[in-house]
Amino acid sequence: MEQEQSTQLEHILRYMSVGVAILTCPDMRLRYVNPFLLSLLDQPLTADEVIGRTLAEIIPDELFKLAMPFLQHVCATGKRKQWADIPYEGFLAARGRTYWHVTVEHTPTKAELSTFSTDETTLLITIEDVTDLARSRLYVNAIHSITAAIVGPFALPGVLDRILQAVQEMVGSTRCAILLIDHSVSGTEFRYRGHLSQPSSPTNKPLTVTMAAQKGVHLLSQDWHTELSEQLLLGHVVRDKQTLVIKDTSMFPEMNLPLLDDGGTPRRPGSVLCIPIFEPTDRRRTRDPYTQSYREGTSTQKKTVLGTIEVYHRRVRGFPHEEVVLLEQFAQQAGLAIQNARLFLRIDQLAKDARRNLRQREHIMQAIPDGVIIYDSRWRVADANHAIRRLLGWSTDVIGLPIMQAMASSTAILPPEFLSGTNLIQELDQRVIERRSEEVKMVGADGEHYTMRYSYAPILDDQGDIFASVVLFHDVTEQTAARERIEAEVRNRTAELAQRNQALELARAAQNLASARMELLLERLPSGVMLVSAEDKRITIINRQATQILQAVGLPLQPLHDLTAATQNAVGRNAEELLRIPTVLSSTGSPLPFEETPLAQALYHGEAVEAELQIIQPDGQPLFLLVSAAP
């Protein structure tokens, strides 16, 4: 019965995909080795050829020196030792870096291993190939690592560094790099510098390549930046849309390759693996039955190459198929991570621009002399500028209050009919729809009497629905006094003012509340408004009324027949150059140099100035203006 069990065990060990060996403790001689373990040796040997020989005679010296301390420790202590996921690079040319599960056990008695009876103390060694499992775990960890790097505005360098770290861990290479095409555009073919005939880029200039990240590359090549051409591996990858393997770079002396750091000495790589990083798509990948490599079928040539992952070796060597396939799969995830990191940077920049524009428009709103109130869709105060707060005696606590409660907190005296009606909210909604303008006589919070013209305008969303309303209060006290003295003139001025206050337009329906209201306010103002950069004296914001006044005094703001286009064209013009053109007179009629105008005082001295000026029009007639400028 014991012989039958031995035969069965021998049969099992012969066909197991786990290496099994038995060594004697004193001299490390082989007592048994199964066929799987023999298949891993560098030279083909049979069991009869290795039984009785020492371990030092069978395995490489480097491996023997590494293993001996552990084997002797188990022999001396009798304690079982086990190692998981041990990386081994003895099969690099055929399989790349492999991973093994190794167990060493002490077998002191024949009863513990009845099949191989011996009076000597022996070691039982089992070796299991766990490469596929280890690579899968490394692959998942790599994906988690590069995904976790996308957490801030400087995510892209961290993502690239983690991609290379993952490549090193998966294939055991200490020298690798990521090359990216600068300013790559989705769907654009690239023009090579050389004899290759390819469509040109939109700028008709050769694109450039940057070494975005590297490990083990010599200092001379770390700032690598060159044109995309056929002398680069990336150039061939862009053209062919597939992985490129060069086992011996000496066969391609014309190729421009980065220099490796060999103990501080620059050295040209002996072999290179170049994996394309594609812009992420949703196309299926298929296997070529002849080359056993992955391709994209008929849609491959339409994919855009963002760059490459390049693995370098100092010596001439091949790259096993398993290693190539693993890196091709990883490059897809790397492309997605790079795209997400770039998107994060773009969104962060857009957010900064939006915040800067919001602050600029908010400053403009507060600088407007007219009173402005923004109400939400339920007629609660969303915002109010300084002018209306001074007029009504409001504090910042008014924000969020319903309109009636906000008006009740005002220290100004308004007539009872100002906000009256059986259904006030419905009445206010109707005023906004009609863009109604009215006048009210009131006593301000400062005790002064005012006649204010207030007008309503809607703020619309993308669907054209009203989501907020703006009410402008314009001081027309002096105009009203003149109207009471001269009834006809009052009617003309009222009609003119009403006409100017009828046409609020939304420049962009998709902008947020702050952007929409400011553009409406600038167009609704009866006065001309310009925002001039103190740095370069250029006009950054100008409304139509200002353009109309400047055209009236003969300034070259074209086209004269299209006020909107002329306003747009005025943005970016040098304000000082423009305003030096017309003849400017003071209120007494004497010539006024540009340096003494309100704009010059605000720009060069930081002073807020208001002055009555005369400007001679092209027809010789004077145009009387009240000009104010403030920093």
Side-chain angles (χ1 to χ4, degrees):
M1 185 64 181
E2 183 175 328
Q3 180 65 32
E4 181 180 352
Q5 292 177 346
S6 299
T7 303
Q8 292 175 351
L9 181 57
E10 173 69 19
H11 180 77
I12 293 172
L13 293 176
R14 180 177 296 277
Y15 294 101
M16 284 180 64
S17 60
V18 177
V20 179
I22 297 178
L23 300 174
T24 59
C25 267
D27 52 9
M28 296 297 167
R29 291 187 180 276
L30 282 165
R31 305 293 295 172
Y32 173 78
V33 60
N34 74 334
F36 178 80
L37 193 56
L38 286 172
S39 68
L40 302 179
L41 299 178
D42 293 338
Q43 51 185 337
L45 296 173
T46 64
D48 294 336
E49 292 174 320
V50 299
I51 297 301
R53 296 174 64 179
T54 64
L55 190 63
E57 299 172 330
I58 304 300
I59 66 175
D61 291 341
E62 183 179 353
L63 183 59
F64 177 76
K65 293 177 181 179
L66 181 66
M68 274 302 295
F70 300 103
L71 298 177
Q72 291 171 346
H73 177 76
V74 176
C75 284
T77 63
K79 294 182 179 180
R80 183 174 184 264
K81 298 288 289 184
Q82 184 174 345
W83 298 270
D85 296 345
I86 298 179
Y88 181 60
E89 300 183 356
F91 310 119
L92 281 179
R95 297 185 57 195
R97 173 181 280 189
T98 53
Y99 296 86
W100 302 85
H101 184 89
V102 180
T103 303
V104 180
E105 299 183 72
H106 191 252
T107 57
T109 65
K110 291 187 286 186
E112 293 181 356
L113 193 62
S114 59
T115 305
F116 312 103
S117 60
T118 176
D119 293 328
E120 298 175 311
T121 301
T122 59
L123 296 178
L124 172 62
I125 302 175
T126 58
I127 302 176
E128 180 183 1
D129 185 355
V130 292
T131 301
D132 291 340
L133 181 61
R135 283 176 174 170
S136 299
R137 184 161 51 250
L138 287 171
Y139 182 85
V140 172
N141 292 339
I143 299 304
H144 288 167
S145 177
I146 63 177
T147 302
I150 311 175
V151 294
F154 305 104
L156 185 56
V159 169
L160 298 178
D161 187 67
R162 293 195 184 191
I163 289 173
L164 289 188
Q165 184 64 37
V167 169
Q168 288 188 332
E169 293 174 356
M170 286 189 289
V171 301
S173 172
T174 58
R175 297 171 175 86
C176 49
I178 295 177
L179 275 65
L180 295 179
I181 299 173
D182 299 323
H183 310 299
S184 57
V185 181
S186 178
T188 301
E189 294 295 334
F190 307 110
R191 181 167 73 86
Y192 295 89
R193 182 178 183 182
H195 68 272
L196 294 178
S197 176
Q198 295 289 339
S200 61
S201 64
T203 60
N204 203 31
K205 295 180 181 179
L207 295 177
T208 55
V209 177
T210 296
M211 182 176 292
Q214 57 78 31
K215 289 185 181 294
V217 174
H218 195 272
L219 184 63
L220 295 175
S221 296
Q222 289 182 9
D223 292 330
W224 216 47
H225 190 79
T226 185
E227 290 184 357
L228 182 65
S229 69
E230 63 176 353
Q231 279 72 46
L232 299 181
L233 297 177
L234 179 52
H236 289 266
V237 170
V238 169
R239 180 191 62 195
D240 300 331
K241 305 293 195 299
Q242 61 183 3
T243 297
L244 181 62
V245 177
I246 298 182
K247 299 180 181 179
D248 186 355
T249 60
S250 65
M251 303 297 293
F252 304 91
E254 74 283 0
M255 297 302 296
N256 185 8
L257 299 174
L259 299 175
L260 306 183
D261 189 349
D262 187 8
T265 302
R267 181 186 297 274
R268 180 180 169 90
S271 54
V272 181
L273 171 62
C274 189
I275 305 290
I277 302 174
F278 291 111
E279 181 177 311
T281 62
D282 194 26
R283 299 184 178 95
R284 296 182 179 179
R285 305 173 73 246
T286 57
R287 184 185 291 272
D288 190 310
Y290 299 101
T291 64
Q292 295 299 307
S293 63
Y294 286 96
R295 297 178 181 272
E296 293 292 336
T298 57
S299 61
T300 301
Q301 296 304 320
K302 297 181 180 179
K303 298 185 67 174
T304 299
V305 175
L306 300 177
T308 54
I309 298 175
E310 298 187 1
V311 179
Y312 311 107
H313 291 287
R314 292 178 300 169
R315 298 183 297 273
V316 175
R317 54 154 286 189
F319 292 87
H321 176 70
E322 292 88 347
E323 195 170 270
V324 174
V325 171
L326 179 66
L327 289 180
E328 283 182 335
Q329 294 173 347
F330 180 66
Q332 296 182 41
Q333 302 301 324
L336 182 61
I338 290 172
Q339 185 190 55
N340 289 343
R342 284 177 166 173
L343 180 61
F344 188 98
L345 290 174
R346 178 60 179 159
I347 292 174
D348 183 71
Q349 185 59 47
L350 290 174
K352 290 180 179 178
D353 292 342
R355 289 193 295 269
R356 183 168 57 251
N357 291 336
L358 179 60
R359 288 194 300 269
Q360 184 183 65
R361 294 180 182 276
E362 183 65 23
H363 293 329
I364 294 174
M365 178 181 175
Q366 299 303 340
I368 293 174
D370 287 344
V372 181
I373 308 175
I374 304 295
Y375 293 101
D376 64 15
S377 59
R378 293 161 60 182
W379 288 94
R380 294 174 301 189
V381 178
D383 200 0
N385 72 345
H386 295 326
I388 195 65
R389 290 178 186 176
R390 287 195 300 269
L391 179 67
L392 299 180
W394 277 352
S395 67
T396 55
D397 296 337
V398 75
I399 304 300
L401 295 180
I403 184 171
M404 291 302 296
Q405 188 175 347
M407 288 302 176
S409 67
S410 171
T411 58
I413 301 175
L414 291 162
E417 64 273 12
F418 177 69
L419 291 176
S420 62
T422 56
N423 193 335
L424 179 60
I425 299 301
Q426 184 176 353
E427 171 63 22
L428 292 173
D429 289 339
Q430 188 62 32
R431 293 179 186 179
V432 171
I433 294 173
E434 298 175 359
R435 299 176 181 264
R436 192 179 303 174
S437 295
E438 299 177 358
E439 287 186 5
V440 61
K441 291 183 180 292
M442 59 176 291
V443 178
D446 57 0
E448 297 291 331
H449 289 264
Y450 295 94
T451 301
M452 304 298 297
R453 172 166 288 277
Y454 60 98
S455 57
Y456 299 83
I459 301 177
L460 309 178
D461 60 17
D462 293 340
Q463 289 73 39
D465 297 327
I466 299 174
F467 72 94
S469 303
V470 56
V471 181
L472 287 87
F473 287 79
H474 182 62
D475 187 353
V476 292
T477 304
E478 294 183 3
Q479 294 92 321
T480 303
R483 181 187 61 197
E484 292 173 350
R485 291 190 301 269
I486 308 173
E487 183 176 355
E489 183 180 351
V490 169
R491 285 197 299 268
N492 293 337
R493 291 190 178 185
T494 302
E496 180 182 355
L497 184 60
Q499 183 179 4
R500 286 201 303 263
N501 290 333
Q502 285 297 314
L504 270 176
E505 296 180 352
L506 288 174
R508 292 180 61 190
Q511 284 190 339
N512 55 30
L513 178 62
S515 296
R517 75 186 179 209
M518 291 311 307
E519 292 188 10
L520 284 172
L521 293 177
L522 286 175
E523 292 305 317
R524 292 284 292 167
L525 283 176
S527 306
V529 176
M530 286 194 306
L531 182 65
V532 179
S533 170
E535 181 179 356
D536 56 10
K537 313 304 182 294
R538 297 191 178 277
I539 299 172
T540 58
I541 295 177
I542 183 171
N543 65 354
R544 291 161 56 92
Q545 289 82 350
T547 302
Q548 191 174 30
I549 292 172
L550 295 178
Q551 285 180 334
V553 298
L555 296 188
L557 298 180
Q558 301 293 334
L560 297 176
H561 62 277
D562 189 340
L563 186 58
T564 299
T567 301
Q568 294 173 350
N569 294 336
V571 175
R573 297 287 299 272
N574 189 292
E576 180 176 343
E577 293 177 358
L578 283 175
L579 297 179
R580 284 183 181 274
I581 295 175
T583 301
V584 180
L585 304 178
S586 66
S587 58
T588 61
S590 59
L592 185 68
F594 173 79
E595 289 73 17
E596 298 180 11
T597 62
L599 176 59
Q601 295 295 319
L603 284 174
Y604 299 118
H605 304 292
E607 298 178 358
V609 179
E610 182 176 86
E612 293 184 4
L613 303 178
Q614 302 179 40
I615 298 181
I616 306 303
Q617 302 180 70
D619 59 1
Q621 295 297 318
L623 179 65
F624 295 91
L625 298 173
L626 177 62
V627 179
S628 60

